[in-house]
Amino acid sequence: MFSMDLLLGAVVLGVLLGCFYAAVSVGLSVSFGLLDVPHVAHPAFLVLASYGVFLLNDRYDIDPLVAGLLITPLFFVFGLVAYRIYYEIFERRGSDAAVRGIAFFFGIAFIIEVLIILQFGVDQQSVSASYIGKSWRFGEFRIPIRQLVAFAVALGLTGLLAIYLSKTFMGRAIRAVAQDEEALRLMGANPVRIKQFAFGIATAVLGMAGALLIIVAPVEPTLDRAYIGRTFCVVVMAGLGSMTGTLIAAIILGVAETIVLTVFGASWAPAISFGMLLAVLAFRPQGLLGR
Amino acid sequence: MALSLAIDGLHAGYGAVKALRGIAIGVESGETVALLGTNGNGKSTLMKCIMGLVRPDSGSITLTIDGAAHDLTRLTTEQIVDLGVALVPEGRRLFPKLTVKENLMLGAFRKTARGAIDRNLALAFETFPVLKEREHQLAGTMSGGQQQMLAIARALMSSPRLLLIDEPSVGLSPLLVSQTIAKIGELKARVGLTVLMAEQNFNQAIRIADRGYIIVHGEIAVAARSVDDLKANDIVKRLYLGGVA
């Protein structure tokens, strides 16, 4: 039955889950929030990263976090190439880039799903590591260590990206590029190159995020569909492009999902993210922290 | 250090619209040259051509630095900024959702500009103390006058030798226009800049200009060797001094 203890437990787990959601959303906060790229394939890229981590863990027994780090440079290059293709085919040609871009990225997402199925089959896959499967107990509470690992790495990843965007020349240019491209050219920066680099960064952080995804729970080829609602909900609620906002919004989503799951049962959980996304779009389209 | 800008036979436009038709002007080391003309006569297009934002159809733009000539029509905006040219664009064009400090730091984006950041920041804050006070404020939330000061300070962050200023007076009250123009004059004397300033406010522009051109429908209608020459000109009398100035 429902009790205060249960609620408290749900909030704690919700915060941990929320930080994990922040880690899988920060990339989209850059690509969609700052660059206005309708990147609906973001969760598919995320799942692809998880399978990369799975491959390294399964074949070579590499720790999933180390594996995530190893595929990060690959994903950076993957992001550079993906943006270049998007830019040449859509953005460069003008005004309806967003609409046609959505179709393009949906296509890419399905292609990735199919490729994963062809290579790994439709079954769930998981990784092994010393911290997976154990729990911490405090009286009635039980917190899986894998959740704590994901929480810590997620906070680190989100913090690093926030610092990068606010303290470096490239980071500031990435935040400026959607505000006024021509003014940025006057500063001696090439907007297309800045956006391409930013998309590379947004994709590179999926290396670690993908590792967290498969550490937290087993993955399957179509798992990306569950994350379209979650990541877009977080990024829109955050106020497009704000890193602090992304963290706060992700925690709100995590807590809401966990409470609903505890009180009403698992079948309701997937409806939360889309429900919150619609509510934010209807009542506060500039996001929680937006001005 | 000697620097000069020479533009000759410049034609440019957007599609069928010819914004510039055979422009020829020159700016020499240490001068402040005013480019006068009302809206829609091609001043901004000329500025954008110099910065490489608009590619001219024909004609030449040559920047000579210490005897070495650079053809700006063949260079990218990045390369032109590296040569020491900066533009304060019309309408200021700040990054509204970034702070004052972040806007200034973006002015020093080029690697060639980063060595002098501390010196340039100090200069910006000393010249415009209000920017120091509002360092962490979002640029978009400042008043028009403060935004214009930030736009000028941001351009100075790349240590330019040739500063182009497009319509610094637009949208400002007469008092602020006067202050802004005075600041430009002050900075020029202090940093040893060469300045080309597009402006429609004749009386304000000639306070700091050494000489000027008048551009009408994309052509240079008057090329005056001094401010007195300008004042004596018939077209100027008709356009600017007759009453509406």
Side-chain angles (χ1 to χ4, degrees), chain B residues 145-168:
Chain B
Q146 289 161 352
Q147 290 193 17
Q148 186 62 58
M149 290 174 195
L150 178 54
I152 295 169
R154 183 181 64 175
L156 291 175
M157 289 300 291
S158 62
S159 306
R161 298 182 259 205
L162 173 62
L163 184 65
L164 312 173
I165 308 178
D166 196 0
E167 300 273 8

Side-chain angles (χ1 to χ4, degrees), chain A residues 199-213:
Chain A
F199 204 85
I201 297 277
T203 312
V205 294
L206 287 175
M208 285 315 282
L212 299 184
L213 182 70

Side-chain angles (χ1 to χ4, degrees), chain A residues 251-274:
Chain A
I251 289 175
I252 293 174
L253 175 66
V255 172
E257 271 194 8
T258 319
I259 289 178
V260 169
L261 188 93
T262 313
V263 179
F264 299 101
S267 54
W268 280 97
I272 306 304
S273 54
F274 274 112

Side-chain angles (χ1 to χ4, degrees), chain A residues 165-166 169-170 172-173 175-177 179-190 193-194 291, chain B residues 48 52-53 77-78 81 87 89 93 95-98 102 105-110 114 117 138 154:
Chain A
L165 289 174
S166 63
F169 283 95
M170 192 51 126
R172 285 186 286 257
R175 283 163 56 224
V177 73
Q179 294 179 37
D180 194 333
E181 279 195 25
E182 194 178 70
L184 196 60
R185 287 184 70 187
L186 288 175
M187 309 292 109
N190 180 327
R193 239 178 273 158
I194 301 279
R291 268 167 273 224
Chain B
K48 287 181 179 178
L53 292 177
T77 305
E78 291 111 293
V81 172
L87 169 64
R93 305 294 286 272
F95 304 106
K97 293 180 196 162
L98 298 188
E102 286 172 333
M105 294 300 276
L106 273 171
F109 183 82
R110 297 301 297 170
R114 294 182 194 174
I117 281 184
L138 295 185
R154 183 181 64 175

Side-chain angles (χ1 to χ4, degrees), chain A:
Chain A
M1 259 321 283
F2 182 72
S3 72
M4 275 319 280
D5 272 0
L6 211 55
L7 185 68
L8 188 66
V11 170
V12 172
L13 282 178
V15 170
L16 298 185
L17 182 67
C19 287
F20 160 71
Y21 284 166
V24 299
S25 305
V26 279
L28 187 66
S29 225
V30 173
S31 56
F32 180 58
L34 290 173
L35 307 180
D36 294 333
V37 176
H39 190 9
V40 287
H42 172 87
F45 283 24
L46 171 71
V47 172
L48 185 65
S50 286
Y51 274 91
V53 170
F54 165 71
L55 191 73
L56 290 175
N57 182 259
D58 191 51
R59 293 257 171 94
Y60 309 102
D61 204 25
I62 295 170
D63 180 273
L65 292 174
V66 177
L69 212 54
L70 287 176
I71 62 169
T72 297
L74 282 179
F75 266 69
F76 178 70
V77 175
F78 177 42
L80 295 184
V81 174
Y83 181 77
R84 198 75 216 181
I85 295 171
Y86 168 73
Y87 174 78
E88 295 293 342
I89 301 180
F90 300 101
E91 194 167 300
R92 191 181 187 151
R93 301 194 188 164
S95 57
D96 59 344
V99 178
R100 298 191 301 151
I102 288 180
F104 169 73
F105 282 112
F106 256 121
I108 290 201
F110 284 120
I111 290 170
I112 289 175
E113 272 184 25
V114 169
L115 289 178
I116 292 175
I117 291 171
L118 287 176
Q119 186 64 36
F120 298 96
V122 294
D123 297 336
Q124 288 194 332
Q125 305 289 358
S126 56
V127 286
S128 53
S130 57
Y131 42 85
I132 295 175
K134 293 176 188 160
S135 295
W136 259 3
R137 283 175 180 281
F138 316 86
E140 299 229 345
F141 287 144
R142 214 170 54 82
I143 298 176
I145 305 246
R146 57 167 80 187
Q147 294 277 10
L148 289 176
V149 169
F151 165 74
V153 175
L155 271 188
L157 187 68
T158 310
L160 270 181
L161 188 60
I163 291 170
Y164 176 78
L165 289 174
S166 63
K167 301 289 179 209
T168 66
F169 283 95
M170 192 51 126
R172 285 186 286 257
I174 289 171
R175 283 163 56 224
V177 73
Q179 294 179 37
D180 194 333
E181 279 195 25
E182 194 178 70
L184 196 60
R185 287 184 70 187
L186 288 175
M187 309 292 109
N190 180 327
V192 177
R193 239 178 273 158
I194 301 279
K195 286 195 273 189
Q196 186 177 20
F197 193 87
F199 204 85
I201 297 277
T203 312
V205 294
L206 287 175
M208 285 315 282
L212 299 184
L213 182 70
I214 197 167
I215 284 173
V216 166
V219 295
E220 54 188 2
T222 54
L223 184 63
D224 60 315
R225 298 177 191 182
Y227 278 88
I228 289 184
R230 288 187 180 128
T231 50
F232 275 87
C233 169
V234 167
V235 170
V236 172
M237 196 177 3
L240 298 176
S242 155
M243 293 299 125
T244 326
T246 301
L247 189 60
I248 294 171
I251 289 175
I252 293 174
L253 175 66
V255 172
E257 271 194 8
T258 319
I259 289 178
V260 169
L261 188 93
T262 313
V263 179
F264 299 101
S267 54
W268 280 97
I272 306 304
S273 54
F274 274 112
M276 286 172 77
L277 176 59
L278 292 179
V280 168
L281 286 175
F283 299 110
R284 205 170 157 77
Q286 73 273 44
L288 295 179
L289 299 184
R291 268 167 273 224

